[in-house]
Amino acid sequence: MRPVKFVEVSNLRVTYLGRTRPSLEVEELAIDEGESVLVLGKSGSGKSTLVNVLNGVIPHMISARVEGEIRVFGKDPRKTPVHEMSHLVGTLLQDPEAQIFHHIVRDELAFAPENYCFPRVEILSRVNEASKIVGVTHLMERETSTLSGGELQRVVLGSVLTLKPKSLILDEPTSNIDPDGTAEILSLLRSFKEGGISMIIVEHKLERVLPYVDRVILVEDGRVTLNVTREELPKEMERLMRAGVEVPEVRRTVSKRNATGRAILKGKVKVSSGRKVLVDTEIEVREREIVALMGKNGAGKTTLLKAIMGILDNRYQVVAHLTMMDKEISKMPYYVRGRFISYLPQSFDVMFVKRTVEDEIKFSSDDPEQLIRLFSLDKVRKDDPLTLSFGQRRRVALASILGRRQRLALLDEPTSGQDWFHRRSLGEELQKMRENGVSFLVVTHDSRFVDRFCDRVMVMREGKIIYSGSPEQVFESRLVMPPVEYEGRK
């Protein structure tokens, strides 16, 4: 008898409601049980559509017309309830907040096995095992709303693992995680692979994920244009680069760093929650400077940005003395600070107030057409922002907050979930805007982006900025993991 494959697809067409053209067309695709496959491609190329068809999210939860033949371990996801598919395919979504149901981490991990009415002893055993695997045992009593993006990602992966699925689909599993956490997640991939778990991994960090997969698939404009083994991939690097995929390279020169200019933002910030001090630090950003704020998940980076913007809620006690261009702003409400400072949150979907991409950018921009071109949004300008891929939605949010040319922009993980083509485009645009007098404070784990486009790096640990220097100085100090190609430059 022929063995059951993990995935079998033929003549697949996926068309979202309201669109005439299919967003995904796959003539044939097969993945063996126990095989690990890396899916690459630009943001909006159809990667997430592919995985959402395989796990049944499309069409059960996201409406779309799905034509063709699909089998996952012999079952058709269109005809199999999602709760049954979850035993066959565990999915970690690109946006971890979309998978959180409970206020407390322990309850979140127990949510799935409780819904399947497992015995209490079995539930506790699965929760403890999953929490250890993903490294969140120290977070079990925390509120999920207080976790960083990386911590949330681990919790969600833990909740997926409590059902012990036969296979895993991981959509950008390291996008919100610091370098140490990324290394831990990659170690998990190795253990999953050695344990015979079938995997589909959607990831932009090719050089870090490649050792843990058997095959690589490239998706371009809704079609699978490359399907090769890991050993065959080196011959295809030129093709991947043309497709906007980040590939390892040696770069022996760096952009000129901007290390001069007077302070545009300067001051002290202390944030507490009850008796716990979350942030207690000094900060300075100079004119025409792109500053990266780096550090482990939970170090206080997002809290610091929100305190500068004045948008922390009443649960937190904020004591700050901040000046913006020598003007005291600490007592100003957030909507007044917004005249000087723009802010891109990590959870950016809450920003959208219009029904089309075009109207969203026009609403907050003096030059919407230039931003639509810059962020590659022309093809989706008439679409609802909330129907776009994660990477496309982030680009819409970026375009909308950069439209008024405030003197300082605070960007929280703007490169997360973005392919190298769009990360590079963003970096180049920040450098252009810097020449027009705009400064940037960018929270990121993306050391390659920092190396290419940032003037200075501030490293944060336990609520304090403990080091400030050029990217080269920070990489040499090993306080931050350097990009892969950095070693080849020395």
Side-chain angles (χ1 to χ4, degrees), residues 169-184:
I169 290 177
L170 307 175
D171 197 352
E172 298 285 352
T174 68
S175 60
N176 292 309
I177 298 183
D178 58 58
D180 288 347
T182 295
E184 292 171 12

Side-chain angles (χ1 to χ4, degrees), residues 275-329:
R275 295 183 177 181
K276 185 175 182 181
V277 177
L278 304 177
V279 171
D280 187 3
T281 194
E282 298 183 9
I283 187 167
E284 178 180 292
V285 179
R286 295 188 282 267
E287 285 184 322
R288 304 172 188 270
E289 187 178 37
I290 305 173
V291 183
L293 182 60
M294 306 186 79
K296 290 185 177 181
N297 296 124
K301 305 183 295 296
T302 295
T303 302
L304 176 58
L305 259 59
K306 289 182 175 180
I308 294 171
M309 197 67 207
I311 57 173
L312 283 171
D313 62 40
N314 294 332
R315 290 179 298 170
Y316 302 95
Q317 299 82 50
V318 181
V319 178
H321 175 69
L322 291 168
T323 58
M324 179 80 183
M325 298 179 292
D326 298 324
K327 180 181 292 187
E328 172 66 44
I329 66 168

Side-chain angles (χ1 to χ4, degrees), residues 236-282:
E236 306 292 344
M237 288 302 174
E238 285 287 334
R239 183 172 183 177
L240 294 179
M241 290 178 67
R242 289 196 303 271
V245 173
E246 179 178 2
V247 300
E249 59 178 307
V250 175
R251 193 172 72 95
R252 302 185 182 279
T253 60
V254 297
S255 303
K256 183 180 178 181
R257 311 289 188 196
N258 180 32
T260 61
R262 70 186 181 99
I264 190 171
L265 175 74
K266 189 173 183 179
K268 298 180 179 180
V269 178
K270 184 175 181 179
V271 180
S272 305
S273 178
R275 295 183 177 181
K276 185 175 182 181
V277 177
L278 304 177
V279 171
D280 187 3
T281 194
E282 298 183 9

